[in-house]
Amino acid sequence: EADIYQTPRYLVIGTGKKITLECSQTMGHDKMYWYQQDPGMELHLIHYSYGVNSTEKGDLSSESTVSRIRTEHFPLTLESARPSHTSQYLCASSRTGATNEKLFFGSGTQLSVL
Amino acid sequence: KQEVTQIPAALSVPEGENLVLNCSFTDSAIYNLQWFRQDPGKGLTSLLLIQSSQREQTSGRLNASLDKSSGRSTLYIAASQPGDSATYLCATSSGGFKTIFGAGTRLFVKA
């Protein structure tokens, strides 16, 4: 079973609030990812990290930011939440290895911005 | 640009039936293909990973096949059970962070 944890599971907040979604993994994986998923739709990569102090933006434009100060921790921050940010946010990790690089996912954070 | 398509979008079958879920992709230059299961409001659980050099992988009642030349993969579920009800997603990886997901097939197995 994958050891990757996301908190909170659900979050309802008002417009303009600053929020941080937490993601931690205990598998020692070097790569970590944040995906955004709307109901019935594909996952879209919004941020990724190769390792400590390495972060990059993904394919989907996002107003969020991330940090990777420790290998196991990859939090995502929204400075000023808007209703358009309402979505499910999924954190994932993997260990570098080209052909057999399996992705492990957390349980997700369902964010609702009123 | 890689595109991953899953057909059908939704499927309802009686318990005990064998079924096949389809996944097609446009760029055959992939390192691997993964099948995932997603329960409502949850994250994804990896079911099977097929490397580009492999043709199929099996786990219990699940069998996934890969045909790179035709850009297709199938997930075969034998003797379906109500507990199999979930959304099944396939995803191709071309190395690095280039993992592209399909929108999934929503499966409902009726008791």
Side-chain angles (χ1 to χ4, degrees):
Chain A
E1 189 170 327
D3 296 319
I4 179 165
Y5 307 99
Q6 290 186 243
T7 57
R9 284 282 289 117
Y10 304 95
L11 181 61
V12 180
I13 61 169
T15 298
K17 298 292 186 184
K18 177 180 179 179
I19 61 167
T20 297
L21 308 184
E22 300 288 348
C23 177
S24 295
Q25 52 95 5
T26 59
M27 297 173 283
H29 287 172
D30 51 341
K31 292 179 180 172
M32 296 190 75
Y33 318 72
W34 277 103
Y35 288 90
Q36 187 173 339
Q37 184 186 30
D38 292 320
M41 303 296 288
E42 303 91 336
L43 277 72
H44 292 286
L45 183 66
I46 50 175
H47 296 284
Y48 61 93
S49 168
Y50 287 99
V52 172
N53 293 327
S54 152
T55 61
E56 301 286 345
K57 288 186 179 294
D59 298 327
L60 183 67
S61 175
S62 174
E63 294 163 343
S64 58
T65 59
V66 293
S67 63
R68 188 93 182 273
I69 299 172
R70 303 196 315 267
T71 299
E72 63 271 20
H73 194 214
F74 191 42
L76 180 145
T77 298
L78 275 168
E79 291 293 333
S80 180
R82 295 207 299 271
S84 60
H85 295 139
T86 294
S87 188
Q88 174 160 242
Y89 293 83
L90 294 165
C91 181
S93 70
S94 67
R95 188 187 305 278
T96 298
T99 59
N100 198 27
E101 197 164 312
K102 187 179 290 189
L103 275 173
F104 293 89
F105 281 85
S107 296
T109 294
Q110 182 61 53
L111 174 65
S112 296
V113 183
L114 306 177
Chain B
K1 181 185 174 184
Q2 177 77 285
E3 292 181 6
V4 178
T5 304
Q6 293 187 245
I7 294 173
L11 180 64
S12 180
V13 300
E15 181 177 6
E17 191 164 298
N18 302 325
L19 59 100
V20 174
L21 307 182
N22 297 294
C23 172
S24 61
F25 48 95
T26 55
D27 186 350
S28 62
I30 63 172
Y31 284 174
N32 65 53
L33 184 144
Q34 274 188 261
W35 281 94
F36 295 88
R37 169 184 172 139
Q38 185 175 31
D39 293 292
K42 299 283 183 65
L44 281 66
T45 300
S46 181
L47 298 173
L48 291 165
L49 182 148
I50 311 176
Q51 297 180 31
S52 60
S53 59
Q54 298 174 324
R55 296 284 295 191
E56 65 179 329
Q57 282 287 328
T58 299
S59 175
R61 294 183 293 108
L62 306 179
N63 175 276
S65 68
L66 174 64
D67 184 343
K68 279 180 52 177
S69 61
S70 66
R72 292 184 180 180
S73 176
T74 61
L75 179 67
Y76 174 82
I77 302 177
S80 59
Q81 303 170 358
D84 294 330
S85 298
T87 297
Y88 292 82
L89 297 94
C90 69
T92 63
S93 175
S94 303
F97 295 88
K98 293 181 174 59
T99 299
I100 306 298
F101 290 82
T105 293
R106 186 178 298 179
L107 173 66
F108 180 63
V109 181
K110 297 172 287 187

